[in-house]
Amino acid sequence: MISDRIKSNLTNELRRSLLAKVGIVLFVSILLMGLFAPVLATHNPHEQGHSDEAGASYPPLGLTDEITIAQDGERVSHTVEGTSEHVLGTNNVGQDIYSRFLYGARTSLLVGLSGTLLATAIGVPVGLTAGYFGGRVDDGLMRIADIMLAFPSLVLALALMGAFGRGTVGIPDPIVAAGFADGMPETITFPGMVTVVVALVTWVWFARVARGEAMAIRNEEYVKAARSLGASHATILRKHVLPNSLTPIIVLATIQVAAIILLESSLSYLGFSGTTLSWGYEIQRGHDVMRNQWWVATVPGIGIVLSVIGVNLLGDWLRDALDPNIEGEGAGGAG
Amino acid sequence: MAFGKFLIRRLLQGVFVIWGVVTITFALRALSPGDPVNLIAGQVPDQSTRDQIRQDLGLDQPMYVQYFDYLGNLLTGNLGYSYNQRRAVNDIIAQHFAATVELAVAATIVAVVIAIPLGVVSATRRDQPADYAATFGSLVGISTPNFWLGIMLILIVAMQVGVFPTSGRGIAFHEAMYNLFRYGYVLDLLSWLSYITLPAITLGTYFTALITRLTRSGMIDELGKPYVTATEAKGLPRTLVRYKHVLRNTLIPIITVLGLQLGTLMGGAVITEEVFNWPGLGQMFITSLRNGDWPVVQGIVLFIAVAFVVINILVDALYARLNPQVTDE
């Protein structure tokens, strides 16, 4: 499926484009952070009480924070200094922000990648079938797509979360189970319902792109030839239509990972997530205390921006190298 | 009468889309857990009171009866009653929609005013520093979650500079305008401006980035067309060609994209309103959803969908007027 021509296009574009390199570096860094969060973390992300003797949160290393505390019935000024124990500081309940940042990367990537996979798995078969057969099936799909478009994706996602609840799945953390990271959470809380919901909100983009491809491919000579040689529709869809429409689907999927990371963070910012180890949730908490501890909301936001930039740059690279002729359709950011 | 036919077809499609939206949100309410009676009466143990409420709301009826009742009410313009605000959903929407429209329009103005010049500069000075800056800026713009951007603006601008309030709406635009023209108060308008500036930037940033990208790529395509070379060869001034012909041809498809992105704008408004405590439909939507107040949730979703459909029909009609080929399709 990956021909030599595609490979050489990808490497040529990569050699030419600085931004593509930046995108790969960003994405791979975030991926590694998420994968090895238990090893890289310095504290259990749920563990509270990391505050100084006066109960104040630590600012990031190298910064100081001036606060007023009550001491013996009087209000006195108190200075907190960042410590190397908590490089990015601690939040208002005394949790280590650096460790929570790593675990947040995990949640974003888990939802971003699995949500995109699920949306692809729903949208591509529907779109290919509709485009290949045309007629009523196709009309039906396009009308459904019209309805989906009239919902703002965030609004639909929120309504779905409101109706379905915030179900999560606990997965044992293999790194902790293997004994490489003592004291870290033993299970990964996978926000399953959020993943299903973001897929339900975004599948229609995959269906539209797959449909367009299938419509073009069904009139190709090789499809007609296969048909006259007695190949069934199912075989043609699987062996000819699908492989030949993969390029735009892959490019779209990359862009959608970015859109879904933004959507997930918006949902968890608004409190519709299911896990507390999420950048969006952390920003919500930081919003409540921003007057005193600005860093709590600032740090996770940087994580979101960097990973979304990374994924978007990857998408640009693939698009420029493979030229599938879609103009970032469906890139609608939710956040 | 190709145009009339085209318009009728689009209207029918729009009615179908709205029916779909109504049906999906109704189904979500039906699937959602929680008993609305608890919301209305609290945890009243008195069974006969509970039954009475259930009966009054029609919740004792089978689902399909409730569905057709709901559709019937919608046809008469009645969106139902809130479970816990003791008010009609129509009133709630009427009270909050102006704030959201103000915010959405202000954000669109911010986006268009910044993005189009930026896109033009970017396209006409391709691969120069200004182009790189605009391209990089728009990459960051589409990658930044707007709720975080809003919080950063509050932290950096509102709390440090002190000119902009950190949250709330202050005075409504129409009141400020009334006071301006009736009594000559300028301060009210300035106050309105100070409240809306940061939310409008928050909501407008994504669109600024998007329109900059679209203008840039559209303009680059357009600049490569033979007619540009022809007009320049004829000796027409470059600026005239660029702004009168090239930009105009670039903007028409952008308007279509903006119509389709209206949903994203409304989604963004939901979260921007939550960040800035802006009393619009978005904030009401979130509050109602958290409370399980489904009639309000359904009403707001329907309202947004109708706005989306109507605006897109208008955009398409405008487009069809400008480009007759569309209706021949």
Side-chain angles (χ1 to χ4, degrees):
Chain A
M1 271 185 286
I2 298 176
S3 68
D4 288 341
R5 191 176 58 85
I6 291 181
K7 265 188 215 151
S8 76
N9 281 349
L10 283 173
T11 43
N12 286 342
E13 180 66 26
L14 184 61
R15 209 168 292 141
R16 205 183 60 76
S17 160
L18 172 70
L19 287 177
K21 295 184 196 104
V22 174
I24 290 180
V25 169
L26 279 176
F27 182 70
V28 171
S29 321
I30 304 273
L31 194 68
L32 292 176
M33 279 189 215
L35 277 177
F36 298 110
V39 184
L40 298 169
T42 51
H43 296 80
N44 183 318
H46 294 301
E47 195 176 271
Q48 303 190 355
H50 294 285
S51 320
D52 78 344
E53 68 285 350
S57 311
Y58 292 108
L61 181 64
L63 297 170
T64 53
D65 189 36
E66 198 82 23
I67 57 164
T68 319
I69 53 166
Q71 201 172 49
D72 306 326
E74 277 180 59
R75 297 179 70 77
V76 291
S77 178
H78 173 74
T79 309
V80 208
E81 250 176 68
T83 105
S84 57
E85 175 77 9
H86 303 285
V87 278
L88 295 178
T90 57
N91 65 19
N92 52 319
V93 290
Q95 296 166 323
D96 182 56
I97 292 181
Y98 165 72
S99 305
R100 294 181 71 80
F101 181 89
L102 298 172
Y103 274 88
R106 214 173 220 208
T107 303
S108 282
L109 289 173
L110 262 179
V111 175
L113 297 175
S114 55
T116 305
L117 268 181
L118 188 57
T120 315
I122 305 170
V124 170
V126 173
L128 288 183
T129 318
Y132 179 74
F133 290 108
R136 290 247 172 93
V137 188
D138 189 37
D139 285 345
L141 171 74
M142 290 322 284
R143 295 294 81 79
I144 293 174
D146 287 346
I147 295 172
M148 302 293 286
L149 273 173
F151 281 106
S153 50
L154 178 62
V155 169
L156 180 58
L158 284 166
L160 287 166
M161 289 305 292
F164 295 159
R166 296 159 209 182
T168 57
V169 187
I171 307 167
D173 189 329
I175 298 179
V176 180
F180 288 116
D182 286 335
M184 292 297 155
E186 280 167 15
T187 49
I188 303 168
T189 311
F190 174 63
M193 194 54 84
V194 173
T195 308
V196 172
V197 162
V198 295
L200 287 177
V201 170
T202 49
W203 70 272
V204 73
W205 295 105
F206 289 93
R208 281 168 62 112
V209 168
R211 166 185 180 265
E213 291 299 304
M215 279 171 76
I217 293 168
R218 72 170 174 202
N219 294 323
E220 295 281 348
E221 294 299 327
Y222 57 80
V223 172
K224 288 178 191 157
R227 190 79 196 119
S228 61
L229 287 171
S232 69
H233 288 305
T235 313
I236 292 177
L237 274 171
R238 194 160 38 85
K239 291 220 164 138
H240 298 290
V241 182
L242 177 64
N244 283 301
S245 43
L246 271 184
T247 313
I249 291 170
I250 290 171
V251 174
L252 177 67
T254 316
I255 301 167
Q256 284 299 331
V257 171
I260 289 179
I261 290 178
L262 285 172
L263 194 54
E264 187 279 331
S265 70
S266 304
L267 288 174
S268 31
Y269 170 76
L270 293 170
F272 290 85
S273 168
T275 174
T276 58
L277 290 177
S278 156
W279 287 334
Y281 179 86
E282 204 66 3
I283 293 175
Q284 167 62 64
R285 183 181 295 184
H287 188 186
D288 294 338
V289 297
M290 70 179 166
R291 274 166 208 286
N292 302 315
Q293 295 135 25
W294 56 267
W295 57 89
V296 180
T298 308
V299 172
I302 294 171
I304 301 175
V305 175
L306 289 181
S307 44
V308 174
I309 288 182
V311 177
N312 274 332
L313 288 175
L314 280 187
D316 286 351
W317 167 47
L318 294 177
R319 193 186 59 206
D320 292 345
L322 308 176
D323 190 26
N325 223 351
I326 54 168
E327 261 299 320
E329 191 181 15
Chain B
M1 270 321 285
F3 184 69
K5 245 184 174 170
F6 166 80
L7 207 59
I8 290 171
R9 207 185 65 217
R10 288 293 282 112
L11 281 172
L12 287 176
Q13 276 176 8
V15 171
F16 175 78
V17 164
I18 288 165
W19 168 78
V21 169
V22 168
T23 306
I24 290 175
T25 44
F26 182 87
L28 289 180
R29 193 205 90 190
L31 288 169
S32 71
D35 186 349
V37 176
N38 289 342
L39 254 167
I40 297 158
Q43 307 279 349
V44 185
D46 175 6
Q47 196 56 44
S48 68
T49 317
R50 298 180 67 93
D51 289 345
Q52 185 60 45
I53 295 171
R54 201 178 300 280
Q55 212 175 344
D56 289 348
L57 288 171
L59 294 171
D60 55 336
Q61 303 284 331
M63 264 313 158
Y64 72 91
V65 177
Q66 292 187 37
Y67 174 65
F68 285 111
D69 280 351
Y70 184 65
L71 282 187
N73 283 335
L74 288 184
L75 287 178
T76 63
N78 176 4
L79 294 169
Y81 289 88
S82 158
Y83 287 157
N84 65 349
Q85 296 191 53
R86 297 170 200 285
R87 292 170 69 194
V89 176
N90 293 42
D91 293 345
I92 294 173
I93 290 180
Q95 189 198 337
H96 290 89
F97 96 97
T100 299
V101 171
E102 270 174 30
L103 182 58
V105 170
T108 311
I109 292 173
V110 168
V112 168
V113 166
I114 299 174
I116 289 177
L118 213 56
V120 171
V121 168
S122 206
T124 50
R125 301 195 186 157
R126 213 173 156 188
D127 294 329
Q128 290 174 26
D131 179 28
Y132 289 133
T135 310
F136 179 75
S138 46
L139 174 68
V140 176
I142 58 162
S143 306
T144 305
N146 58 8
F147 58 92
W148 184 71
L149 177 67
I151 295 172
M152 291 300 109
L153 286 174
I154 296 174
L155 271 175
I156 297 165
V157 182
M159 282 164 58
Q160 302 300 323
V161 181
V163 177
F164 302 105
T166 54
S167 76
R169 182 180 177 216
I171 191 167
F173 182 65
H174 66 268
E175 287 167 6
M177 288 312 269
Y178 179 81
N179 291 348
L180 178 68
F181 287 113
R182 183 75 177 74
Y183 308 109
Y185 287 168
V186 185
L187 282 179
D188 280 354
L189 193 64
L190 289 178
S191 156
W192 173 81
L193 202 62
S194 73
Y195 275 99
I196 205 167
T197 304
L198 296 184
I201 294 174
T202 302
L203 181 56
T205 295
Y206 172 79
F207 291 91
T208 310
L210 185 76
I211 301 172
T212 307
R213 286 189 147 198
L214 291 171
T215 311
R216 179 181 184 271
S217 64
M219 200 130 169
I220 287 173
D221 283 352
E222 202 68 26
L223 282 170
K225 289 192 176 164
Y227 79 88
V228 179
T229 323
T231 45
E232 279 179 4
K234 236 174 80 180
L236 290 177
R238 256 199 167 170
T239 14
L240 177 85
V241 176
R242 276 181 185 166
Y243 292 96
K244 191 169 170 208
H245 302 288
V246 175
L247 184 59
R248 190 196 279 173
N249 287 342
T250 309
L251 287 185
I252 295 171
I254 291 180
I255 292 171
T256 316
V257 176
L258 285 186
L260 286 171
Q261 288 284 339
L262 188 77
T264 316
L265 186 70
M266 295 313 295
V270 168
I271 207 158
T272 307
E273 290 180 6
E274 186 72 9
V275 172
F276 286 94
N277 198 13
W278 187 264
L281 288 177
Q283 201 191 27
M284 182 47 74
F285 173 78
I286 300 278
T287 310
S288 308
L289 193 65
R290 284 192 183 127
N291 291 337
D293 192 356
W294 277 92
V296 180
V297 170
Q298 287 169 285
I300 293 176
V301 172
L302 174 61
F303 184 83
I304 293 173
V306 170
F308 178 87
V309 166
V310 169
I311 289 182
N312 276 291
I313 291 178
L314 289 177
V315 168
D316 284 356
L318 186 75
Y319 196 67
R321 269 285 183 227
L322 294 172
N323 182 0
Q325 285 168 334
V326 177
T327 43
D328 298 342
E329 175 205 335

